[in-house]
Amino acid sequence: MDAIQHVPNDTKPAELSSYDINDHMMEENDVETQIGALAAGQAQGEEDVGMEITDTATSHNDESVFHGVPSIEEADIINTNFESQPNEEQQVQGIQEEHVDDAPSLELPDNIDHEDLSRLLELDTKQGGEIFDADEILEHAMRGEAEVSSGSETGDEDEEDKNESGKDEDNEDEDDDEDDDDDDDDDDEEEEDSEEDGNDKGHAGNEASQQITEAPSRDGRLARSNSVEKDATVSPKVAASDAEDIRTSSVAAIPGESSGSSLKAQRLFKHEDEHSPAAILQERGDLMRRKRHDSLTPVMFQQHEILMSQMQGQNSIDEDGVQGQQGENGISLPDEQPTISAYARLDFQSFTFYVQTLHVIIGRRSENDFSHKVDVNLSPSKSISRRHAQIFYNFGTGRFELSIIGKNGAFVDDIFVERGNTVPLRNKTKIQIGQIPFQFVLPDQEKGEQPQKSPEPPLSAGPEELDSKVKEENESKKLLEEIKTASPVVSDTNITLENDPAIAAAHAEITHPKPIPAKPTLPPQPQPQPQPQPSTVKRERERRPPKVPKKVYSLEEIPPEYRTKPTCSYSALLTECIRKYSSPKGMSLSEIYAGIRELFPYYKYCPDGWQSSVRHNLSLNKSFRKVSKEGKGWLWGLDEDYIAERERQKKKQAEIAAAKAAAAQERLEQQQQQRARKAASGSSSSGGRYDGKSNGRQQSISQTLAANRATDKKSSMNDHQRTMKYLQEQLIILTKNRKGLSNQTIASILTQALAMTINQVTQAAKNKGISGNPLTALMDKNPQHLNLILAAAVNAATSKATNGKVKQLVNMPSSSENSNTQIKTQTPSSQTTKPSYSSATNSNKTNTSAKGSSSFDPTSLSRFFQPRQPTRVSPPSSSSSKPTIPQKRTHDQDGDESSTSDDSPDSDDEEENTDDGNKGSGKDDDDDDDDDDDDSNSSASSGDDDDDNHNNGKDDKKSSNETASNRGEEISNVLGAGSNTDTNDSQV
DNA sequence: GACCTACTAAACACCC
DNA sequence: GGGGTGTTTAGTAGGT
Ligand SMILES: [Mg+2]
């Protein structure tokens, strides 16, 4: 127990997890304080760091408590503490044991293929990079949180880094990214851990630490064993006892998936974030941290076990928890198995660090820096960067890889690897960072039967099998998935899970000790596992038979962030997933499922059914192609050519659109000028509409694709185009006097103003229950009002764009007189109504609208509309009922609660399109901001991009402003967006 | 109301 | 033969 208590998973923050070599030797100082901070309070007293931590952990251990989950804060604190702490921390993270070199040899199969460094390098950049990308986001979030919670530490780190070297900074950045990854991993782990912890009571959380230190107390192990059960299947290999451990590990494995996912989790978070804003971010951060903490623990694959066992029972966990000591090694319980579950271990001269998470950061910890997560603190030597290297599991390659972040590089198998390079790690790979040599050791796979078997690996767990068996993984993965699902909560949600009793219970089940060794099984809740299983081990499958139906989560069990369906389409999901996790060989369906779960935890909790959609998408969407056949099915990959083609088209169209827009603007300006001069009364016709089309919309690929269709729509477009044209013209007029603002600024202002106008009008109309195109209606019926709105929007946008330097670009008509002069010029292009600007009349509305020129007041619109109805009947009520904002298939949201429901969104479909992907893109927008960008890939976009457009339409409404503003694109663009996004197609 | 897009579900056929 | 996989079709829902 103690041991378990020692370090609660929770407590461990990612950082916590970190293991300092130094720590061992060094002090534990800070920890205490931090610990004290821990709110839990429990801990504080306790002890030394370790204890304290433990305490918290302990408390947490109790499921209830645990669930209570240490608030993020606590977790964070803890983490920090841990960091500071030496021993425990060490334990936590990895498991460091002192080690006896002798560790039983792990036999590692070399599943991992060794590749040439060069090769590796290549890989690194690619794959590794991607992974990290996701993390980056997380990191940001994390940092933010960190800052908030912890305080400044992050800054410290950075500073330190800087101090160290400019490069370091870079490294740090990288690190950050990595960290993110780590976080993710950790998170996953944490989840797992948490679960385990919950079950184990602390152990789980501790796992990492426990493992590390402890030899695992039996209890812990037992608990694990429970978890192990799940794992069991996974890694049969290990001896029975080991098996148990393994199981635990497997459990972890399960989590592993999650863990694996955890990496992605970040992204998920992002997505989630999308759903929920800042709060979510914070949560993420918290999660991240927590996860991290937890992450320390986790996993476990059999390998670990194996390792452990091999290592000797050494570690074996003493129940007691010697945890910390364990590091030492040894000991242990043979039978039960040592239990440390880990994906791999790092054998240092004086200690051993167990890699229990999918991402381990190796570097130099600065005492005050909590922000940086350093799982393995090599030395205070400046020659070692804070984040000098990171070991992570590359799902794409299915193996662990070492990415060198530190400026001074490192030696891998006696080959110098410069910073920025990534090298694959295989069993017994020698690594030297600074003056510290160590060896990367994988657990024997043999024992486990298949090295990887562990299921999860696929995405999550990767480690296990890393290499080989991807396929097998599939199965295992599935298992894992299931397992995950079972435990899911844990993993993903950490937090929530904690909260949820049910979850806890589930966890408990999972962890339950009972089973011990042999049976793994997963427990997902239902799990029958205990069943007698064959003795042996691991055959999860055996257990599976009972196959646990996927657990149905209650709302409470699902973390709030994961209750809503991601807004992105399946095509976007798939694109992102494949981009991020796929190996050159492609991804199997099960891997894809796992990847999606990782990226979007929502899918961990929702009822099955989405897989069908995924398959449907893969088949129909041309962006996805079969890469190679493996096992029952194919390995899927992205059809980059197709995607690239689409991209090209997209760009092309964008360029064309831009050109048109520019031309149109000029024309308009000229025309307007002429008009002004001539003062021609009826000038109405502006001359060619400059293509309404031109509105500037850039056609996206999808659009292009859809172009054909678009034509059909043209008719409908007319109004839209006309309206856009009108708006564009008006804007141009309104911004004639640029007041010295740069074109860019003006463009931004125009964009924002347009977006604001569209949004406000649209929303106001919706609120009023007006369907149809309110802008057009307004333009036709009350152009003055529209002009005022535009003017107000322009001023608001101007103020915003210039940070208040220029509050007005347009002189708002005090009341009646509008500044209309300008406005007057205009007329809605074609049609009809020409606004009689002259009158500036409508002061009322105008005024309101005008309100601030600076302040844009949409409300005025409502007024407008109300009366207006004539034009459209708007049953206000009904419409009103609807959410004003057109969310895309927000249903989800609505449904959010119902996880099951579907919500969802978007998607792709392609159908015809062939395109496939196009559709998805819509979301992208959102994503774009977030992810895409980051990823750059735009990935999502890529495949889906097209879709995006479509989506855009929907989104646009919502975010039109944002997008527009963000992008600061040209007016035309904005228009395009604003109007109907979909229109894109239409545009054509 | 017609069309689209996106999603879901189900039916089938394949393959392991 | 079960189950995963891949394809196809039908139906639905929200949006334009
Ligand atoms: Mg396809």
Side-chain angles (χ1 to χ4, degrees):
Chain A
M1 302 278 302
D2 297 350
I4 295 169
Q5 293 175 344
H6 294 347
V7 180
N9 296 337
D10 299 354
T11 56
K12 311 167 182 179
E15 295 174 354
L16 294 179
S17 57
S18 62
Y19 166 87
D20 277 340
I21 295 170
N22 297 338
D23 290 349
H24 275 307
M25 319 200 10
M26 313 226 8
E27 35 201 302
E28 310 173 343
N29 30 354
D30 300 355
V31 176
E32 298 171 352
T33 33
Q34 294 173 344
I35 294 167
L38 293 180
Q42 300 171 339
Q44 293 179 343
E46 296 195 14
E47 70 314 26
D48 355 39
V49 178
M51 294 306 292
E52 293 174 355
I53 294 168
T54 309
D55 293 346
T56 49
T58 359
S59 60
H60 295 296
N61 292 345
D62 296 342
E63 294 176 351
S64 61
V65 174
F66 194 74
H67 293 299
V69 176
S71 57
I72 296 166
E73 300 170 350
E74 292 179 358
D76 294 350
I77 294 167
I78 293 167
N79 293 337
T80 53
N81 294 335
F82 284 91
E83 290 178 352
S84 56
Q85 293 177 345
N87 303 335
E88 306 207 354
E89 292 179 354
Q90 296 171 347
Q91 294 174 345
V92 173
Q93 297 196 340
I95 300 175
Q96 64 182 96
E97 289 180 353
E98 294 183 12
H99 136 78
V100 178
D101 295 282
D102 50 11
S105 57
L106 303 181
E107 314 160 91
L108 306 177
D110 293 325
N111 295 337
I112 299 172
D113 298 345
H114 240 359
E115 292 179 353
D116 295 350
L117 293 178
S118 61
R119 223 178 158 195
L120 293 176
L121 295 176
E122 292 177 356
L123 294 176
D124 294 345
T125 24
K126 297 176 181 179
Q127 298 175 340
E130 292 180 357
I131 293 169
F132 295 125
D133 291 347
D135 294 353
E136 291 180 353
I137 295 171
L138 293 177
E139 282 188 354
H140 292 297
M142 295 290 292
R143 287 186 178 182
E145 292 178 354
E147 292 177 355
V148 174
S149 64
S150 326
S152 48
E153 296 175 359
T154 52
D156 295 350
E157 290 179 354
D158 293 344
E159 291 175 358
E160 291 179 355
D161 291 345
K162 292 179 181 177
N163 294 339
E164 292 176 359
S165 68
K167 292 180 179 180
D168 288 358
E169 293 178 353
D170 293 345
N171 292 341
E172 290 179 354
D173 293 345
E174 293 176 354
D175 291 347
D176 291 347
D177 292 346
E178 295 174 352
D179 289 349
D180 289 346
D181 292 343
D182 292 348
D183 292 347
D184 291 347
D185 293 348
D186 292 348
D187 292 347
D188 292 344
E189 292 175 353
E190 288 181 357
E191 292 175 354
E192 294 174 352
D193 292 348
S194 65
E195 292 178 353
E196 292 176 356
D197 290 349
N199 297 333
D200 295 352
K201 301 178 178 181
H203 279 305
N206 308 340
E207 294 174 356
S209 59
Q210 293 174 347
Q211 293 172 347
I212 298 168
T213 45
E214 330 176 9
S217 56
R218 283 198 179 293
D219 296 348
R221 297 200 172 193
L222 292 179
R224 292 176 189 167
S225 65
N226 298 339
S227 59
V228 171
E229 294 174 352
K230 299 171 183 179
D231 294 350
T233 52
V234 175
S235 63
K237 19 180 157 197
V238 178
S241 61
D242 291 348
E244 293 175 352
D245 293 347
I246 293 168
R247 290 196 173 320
T248 49
S249 62
S250 60
V251 170
I254 296 171
E257 290 180 344
S258 60
S259 65
S261 58
S262 61
L263 295 180
K264 293 80 199 241
Q266 295 173 346
R267 291 211 163 190
L268 292 178
F269 287 74
K270 290 181 180 180
H271 294 291
E272 294 176 353
D273 290 350
E274 292 177 354
H275 300 299
S276 48
I280 294 172
L281 292 176
Q282 291 179 344
E283 289 181 356
R284 289 180 180 175
D286 295 348
L287 292 176
M288 299 288 296
R289 292 180 182 177
R290 290 180 182 178
K291 289 179 179 180
R292 274 199 158 222
H293 302 306
D294 294 348
S295 59
L296 297 178
T297 16
V299 187
M300 49 238 235
F301 281 144
Q302 305 164 347
Q303 295 175 347
H304 291 294
E305 295 175 354
I306 296 169
L307 293 178
M308 297 300 297
S309 61
Q310 291 177 342
M311 299 276 310
Q312 59 190 336
Q314 322 171 346
N315 303 335
S316 51
I317 316 179
D318 318 67
E319 299 176 357
D320 309 3
V322 178
Q323 316 169 348
Q325 302 166 349
Q326 300 173 324
E328 299 174 73
N329 315 280
I331 335 176
S332 38
L333 321 176
D335 304 356
E336 278 280 295
Q337 5 216 255
T339 355
I340 295 176
S341 352
Y343 290 112
R345 74 171 196 235
L346 302 180
D347 287 343
F348 288 84
Q349 294 181 335
S350 60
F351 68 91
T352 296
F353 177 87
Y354 289 90
V355 177
Q356 298 178 309
T357 63
L358 297 180
H359 186 174
V360 172
I361 296 173
I362 300 169
R364 168 175 59 78
R365 179 176 302 156
S366 54
E367 296 180 353
N368 296 330
D369 234 356
F370 298 99
S371 59
H372 281 292
K373 307 157 186 174
V374 176
D375 298 310
V376 179
N377 184 11
L378 296 177
S379 157
S381 170
K382 296 292 182 183
S383 63
I384 295 172
S385 298
R386 288 189 169 186
R387 291 184 181 182
H388 201 105
Q390 61 178 355
I391 289 174
F392 60 93
Y393 182 74
N394 186 321
F395 289 95
T397 56
R399 66 189 173 207
F400 274 104
E401 294 182 359
L402 173 68
S403 179
I404 306 301
I405 302 166
K407 61 181 177 182
N408 293 325
F411 285 92
V412 177
D413 282 337
D414 298 326
I415 295 172
F416 180 73
V417 178
E418 294 181 4
R419 165 183 164 192
N421 291 321
T422 300
V423 178
L425 292 174
R426 47 175 199 177
N427 186 30
K428 298 185 179 177
T429 293
K430 296 175 184 177
I431 301 167
Q432 181 178 330
I433 294 175
Q435 301 299 315
I436 301 174
F438 58 95
Q439 189 173 44
F440 175 82
V441 180
L442 288 171
D444 284 347
Q445 296 173 341
E446 299 174 344
K447 296 175 178 179
E449 303 182 350
Q450 311 151 340
Q452 308 173 341
K453 290 183 176 177
S454 21
E456 1 339 284
L459 295 178
S460 55
E464 321 157 11
E465 321 210 34
L466 301 183
D467 347 11
S468 52
K469 345 188 157 189
V470 174
K471 296 178 180 178
E472 296 175 351
E473 293 176 353
N474 295 339
E475 295 178 353
S476 60
K477 291 177 180 179
K478 293 178 181 178
L479 295 177
L480 294 176
E481 293 178 352
E482 292 177 353
I483 294 168
K484 290 179 179 179
T485 56
S487 57
V489 177
V490 174
S491 55
D492 296 304
T493 54
N494 306 341
I495 299 170
T496 24
L497 295 178
E498 295 173 353
N499 298 337
D500 298 342
I503 296 169
H507 293 298
E509 292 177 354
I510 296 168
T511 49
H512 282 249
K514 0 181 150 214
I516 315 185
K519 337 197 142 203
T521 324
L522 328 173
Q525 333 172 318
Q527 85 276 0
Q529 319 166 346
Q531 306 176 346
Q533 285 192 331
S535 46
T536 13
V537 182
K538 344 184 169 179
R539 32 231 54 189
E540 296 172 353
R541 298 174 186 172
E542 295 175 353
R543 300 182 178 181
R544 269 190 150 206
K547 197 173 234 197
V548 178
K550 179 173 182 179
K551 176 183 179 178
V552 175
Y553 294 92
S554 63
L555 186 61
E556 304 80 51
E557 292 178 307
I558 303 171
E561 324 90 83
Y562 306 135
R563 293 175 186 173
T564 57
K565 190 174 184 177
T567 53
C568 46
S569 65
Y570 281 111
S571 61
L573 284 181
L574 288 167
T575 300
E576 183 176 355
C577 176
I578 295 172
R579 276 245 166 78
K580 191 167 187 181
Y581 304 118
S582 181
S583 66
K585 294 178 182 176
M587 292 178 76
S588 65
L589 257 187
S590 61
E591 288 174 333
I592 289 171
Y593 295 155
I596 288 173
R597 290 194 185 95
E598 299 267 346
L599 291 172
F600 305 92
Y602 163 83
Y603 293 103
K604 289 182 179 178
Y605 306 100
C606 72
D608 286 338
W610 57 274
Q611 293 88 344
S612 173
S613 295
V614 166
R615 293 195 299 272
H616 170 83
N617 259 280
L618 289 170
S619 294
L620 291 184
N621 195 312
K622 293 180 181 177
S623 293
F624 310 117
R625 66 187 179 82
K626 297 169 194 160
V627 177
S628 59
K629 187 94 163 66
E630 190 178 270
K632 294 179 181 177
W634 292 81
L635 294 185
W636 295 85
L638 296 175
D639 185 339
E640 298 296 350
D641 291 338
Y642 180 81
I643 294 171
E645 180 58 29
R646 282 182 22 195
E647 289 291 341
R648 276 195 291 276
Q649 291 181 10
K650 203 175 185 180
K651 288 181 181 178
K652 209 175 184 179
Q653 293 181 348
E655 292 176 358
I656 294 171
K660 287 182 180 179
Q665 282 191 353
E666 289 185 19
R667 259 185 271 167
L668 290 175
E669 291 180 359
Q670 292 177 352
Q671 291 178 355
Q672 292 176 352
Q673 291 177 349
Q674 292 177 353
R675 291 177 186 174
R677 295 172 187 173
K678 295 178 181 178
S681 61
S683 65
S684 64
S685 67
S686 59
R689 0 178 122 198
Y690 49 26
D691 354 281
K693 332 166 178 172
S694 66
N695 289 337
R697 263 196 188 180
Q698 300 171 347
Q699 298 174 341
S700 62
I701 295 169
S702 59
Q703 294 176 348
T704 318
L705 297 175
N708 298 335
R709 299 176 184 174
T711 33
D712 297 344
K713 297 180 180 178
K714 286 185 179 178
S715 60
S716 63
M717 293 301 296
N718 294 336
D719 284 345
H720 177 264
Q721 293 178 344
R722 184 164 58 84
T723 303
M724 290 299 113
K725 179 181 177 181
Y726 175 78
L727 292 173
Q728 191 171 27
E729 292 175 351
Q730 290 300 322
L731 285 171
I732 292 170
I733 293 170
L734 292 171
T735 59
K736 241 180 179 177
N737 177 1
R738 300 189 173 187
K739 294 188 177 181
L741 296 175
S742 66
N743 290 334
Q744 186 175 355
T745 301
I746 291 295
S748 175
I749 291 169
L750 292 173
T751 300
Q752 293 184 43
L754 182 62
M756 282 184 211
T757 301
I758 293 169
N759 254 4
Q760 298 302 336
V761 173
T762 300
Q763 287 192 15
K766 279 196 173 182
N767 291 334
K768 297 299 175 183
I770 296 172
S771 60
N773 187 333
L775 278 170
T776 300
L778 183 59
M779 176 183 75
D780 293 343
K781 307 240 168 175
N782 195 339
Q784 297 96 336
H785 189 81
L786 180 57
N787 291 336
L788 289 172
I789 294 169
L790 275 172
V794 167
N795 287 335
T798 300
S799 180
K800 184 178 179 181
T802 61
N803 293 325
K805 293 179 181 178
V806 177
K807 295 182 178 178
Q808 284 194 340
L809 203 58
V810 177
N811 295 323
M812 295 300 291
S814 55
S815 60
S816 60
E817 322 39 313
N818 319 338
S819 48
N820 313 335
T821 45
Q822 300 170 345
I823 296 168
K824 294 175 181 177
T825 52
Q826 292 274 329
T827 53
S829 57
S830 50
Q831 258 187 349
T832 78
T833 67
K834 305 177 169 184
S836 53
Y837 315 81
S838 57
S839 59
T841 61
N842 311 339
S843 56
N844 308 341
K845 301 171 182 178
T846 36
N847 293 343
T848 55
S849 64
K851 318 177 175 165
S853 40
S854 58
S855 64
F856 178 63
D857 179 15
T859 58
S860 61
L861 294 175
S862 58
R863 296 176 186 172
F864 170 80
F865 288 109
Q866 290 178 341
R868 237 191 139 178
Q869 290 189 346
T871 346
R872 303 186 174 179
V873 176
S874 58
S877 65
S878 66
S879 62
S880 64
S881 65
K882 297 177 182 179
T884 4
I885 299 169
Q887 305 163 338
K888 60 166 3 184
R889 306 182 167 191
T890 50
H891 322 326
D892 301 349
Q893 296 174 344
D894 297 343
D896 25 11
E897 294 90 341
S898 63
S899 57
T900 57
S901 57
D902 4 270
D903 345 328
S904 248
D906 11 335
S907 44
D908 40 43
D909 289 12
E910 22 277 355
E911 300 185 324
E912 106 170 39
N913 326 325
T914 75
D915 48 327
D916 13 38
N918 303 330
K919 333 163 169 190
S921 51
K923 299 178 174 181
D924 299 356
D925 295 347
D926 302 353
D927 297 351
D928 291 320
D929 299 350
D930 308 351
D931 307 348
D932 296 5
D933 318 4
D934 307 354
D935 299 2
S936 67
N937 318 342
S938 55
S939 55
S941 51
S942 64
D944 309 346
D945 299 349
D946 306 2
D947 301 352
D948 296 350
N949 298 339
H950 299 297
N951 293 340
N952 293 345
K954 299 173 182 180
D955 295 352
D956 293 358
K957 296 176 182 179
K958 297 176 182 178
S959 63
S960 61
N961 296 338
E962 298 174 355
T963 26
S965 63
N966 296 343
R967 297 180 183 177
E969 295 175 351
E970 299 175 353
I971 297 170
S972 61
N973 295 339
V974 175
L975 294 176
S979 56
N980 0 321
T981 37
D982 298 346
T983 41
N984 305 341
D985 310 5
S986 58
Q987 289 183 337
V988 180

